[in-house]
Amino acid sequence: MKKKRILGLIVATIISFSAFTGCSNNKEEVKQESVTKVVSTVKGDITIPTNPKRIVDIAGVSEELLILKHTPVGTANADPYKTTEKPSHIKDKLSTSKLVGFSMMDTMDMEAILKLEPDLIIMSERQTKIYDQLKAIAPVVMLKDYANDWRAQLTDVSKLFGQEKDAAKWLTDYDKKADKLGIEIEGKKGKQTYLTILASAGKFYIFSDAGIGSILLSDMKLPQPSNMPKQEGISLPVVTMEGLSAIDADHIIAIVTDADKKDLEASTVWKSMRAVKAGNVTLLDSSPYFGQGYSPLGRELLLDLFKEKFVK
């Protein structure tokens, strides 16, 4: 009987050990399977790391990555007016990121990207001609050109990491902030119209529903003048000084360089506009404010600026 009990214990131990080993192997297999995953891209299904550690972004989605808690080792998020510098509002957050180009260009500093030893590269359709070169360095995700659809861009970037809920929460919080501010401004200023423009060498580009203009119109839901020019695609409508005067807004928000600001101050037509005579003009430096209107963290900062300008 004693021998039988001992034999039984040995058998039970072997069975338990086998079961444990089987579980361990299964866990290792699951772990091994989770090292990579397949994602859908413009170039079809691509295998990428599940948890990439060295991301190079040349698509201009570094703000989206920061929102999702991924700091890229390489970025092409440059200031549109100072393309050799990172935008001032995210410079600190990207202090460890190497600037490898400007996201609106079709080529990049390939040598710098190679030296960064990325395990994932995120690019845009704009850079199609260097796709094969990039693919030889690391797995590449090509995003479509989102034009003015910054919300879809954030959502699609979040899908690469399975963080759709994080992106949705950020957008919900942003919309609540924008809605509240729009109500506050209307309560302070009444039902007045807002016109946002980019001044450039005597021409005026109208943000009908793009960039900084879409923050006021679509996000904050503030009214525009009834005779606003229509925007076709990503191109901003262009008017002369006389055309700008004809739009006749209650408030004008103008993005300007120092030279453009001097031209406005010297113009008799500008001085005769109703908003200018009433002191309802906000002049914003082209750098950094132009670029901020097209990116999520930039837009959030612009909400704070509008609160300061129109509510406080």
Side-chain angles (χ1 to χ4, degrees):
M1 288 295 292
K2 188 175 182 180
K3 288 183 178 178
K4 287 183 178 180
R5 284 199 300 273
I6 292 172
L7 182 60
L9 286 172
I10 292 172
V11 171
T13 302
I14 292 172
I15 292 172
S16 298
F17 179 76
S18 298
F20 174 77
T21 304
C23 289
S24 297
N25 288 338
N26 288 338
K27 287 180 180 177
E28 287 179 4
E29 288 175 8
V30 170
K31 185 178 180 181
Q32 186 68 29
E33 290 173 358
S34 66
V35 170
T36 61
K37 63 180 179 180
V38 176
V39 296
S40 179
T41 77
V42 171
K43 286 289 189 179
D45 290 344
I46 302 294
T47 300
I48 67 169
T50 300
N51 296 301
K53 303 299 182 185
R54 299 187 62 78
I55 303 170
V56 168
D57 159 46
I58 62 172
V61 297
S62 291
E63 291 196 21
E64 287 80 355
L65 291 172
L66 290 172
I67 287 171
L68 300 170
K69 311 301 183 188
H70 302 282
T71 302
V73 295
T75 180
N77 270 58
D79 187 305
Y81 280 81
K82 301 174 182 177
T83 56
T84 60
E85 298 179 18
K86 300 167 190 173
S88 59
H89 68 285
I90 54 172
K91 188 175 182 179
D92 289 345
K93 292 182 175 67
L94 293 177
S95 61
T96 60
S97 305
K98 170 74 174 176
L99 191 63
V100 297
F102 177 39
S103 63
M104 297 307 294
M105 303 298 290
D106 61 359
T107 189
M108 296 286 143
D109 185 341
M110 300 300 294
E111 185 177 350
I113 293 174
L114 183 62
K115 287 181 178 178
L116 289 170
E117 299 181 347
D119 56 6
L120 177 65
I121 299 172
I122 302 176
M123 67 179 298
S124 167
E125 286 179 306
R126 290 185 297 276
Q127 295 113 16
T128 297
K129 73 179 186 179
I130 58 172
Y131 176 76
D132 289 336
Q133 291 174 269
L134 293 170
K135 191 172 63 171
I137 299 174
V140 178
V141 168
M142 182 186 287
L143 301 175
K144 68 179 183 179
D145 189 341
Y146 290 88
N148 296 321
D149 196 352
W150 66 279
R151 293 172 183 270
Q153 181 167 285
L154 173 57
T155 299
D156 284 355
V157 171
S158 74
K159 291 176 182 177
L160 299 178
F161 307 96
Q163 292 183 261
E164 294 94 331
K165 289 183 179 179
D166 295 329
K169 183 182 185 306
W170 192 93
L171 287 169
T172 297
D173 291 343
Y174 170 85
D175 286 336
K176 287 179 180 177
K177 183 175 181 178
D179 285 339
K180 181 181 178 183
L181 181 56
I183 293 170
E184 289 177 356
I185 291 175
E186 192 167 281
K188 182 83 172 182
K189 301 291 185 181
K191 288 189 175 295
Q192 298 188 340
T193 58
Y194 296 81
L195 170 65
T196 52
I197 63 172
L198 169 67
S200 180
K203 295 181 180 179
F204 301 92
Y205 296 82
I206 310 300
F207 293 100
S208 296
D209 194 13
I212 192 170
S214 64
I215 299 176
L216 283 91
L217 175 65
S218 302
D219 303 346
M220 295 163 61
K221 300 176 178 59
L222 294 173
Q224 293 180 333
S226 59
N227 57 343
M228 285 282 286
K230 298 293 183 182
Q231 181 169 332
E232 301 293 339
I234 64 172
S235 299
L236 300 176
V238 185
V239 298
T240 62
M241 181 73 80
E242 288 70 21
L244 183 65
S245 179
I247 296 176
D248 193 32
D250 295 312
H251 292 262
I252 298 175
I253 300 165
I255 294 177
V256 296
T257 62
D258 288 341
D260 293 318
K261 183 178 179 181
K262 289 179 181 178
D263 289 343
L264 291 179
E265 291 171 346
S267 170
T268 55
V269 178
W270 172 258
K271 292 176 182 177
S272 69
M273 293 184 195
R274 184 166 59 87
V276 178
K277 289 193 291 185
N280 292 333
V281 173
T282 300
L283 298 179
L284 301 177
D285 292 334
S286 54
S287 175
Y289 296 112
F290 173 77
Q292 284 186 14
Y294 290 92
S295 60
L297 294 178
R299 293 172 78 95
E300 188 175 36
L301 287 173
L302 283 168
L303 290 180
D304 296 333
L305 178 68
F306 292 145
K307 181 163 187 171
E308 180 184 332
K309 296 291 185 182
F310 300 134
V311 178
K312 292 182 179 179

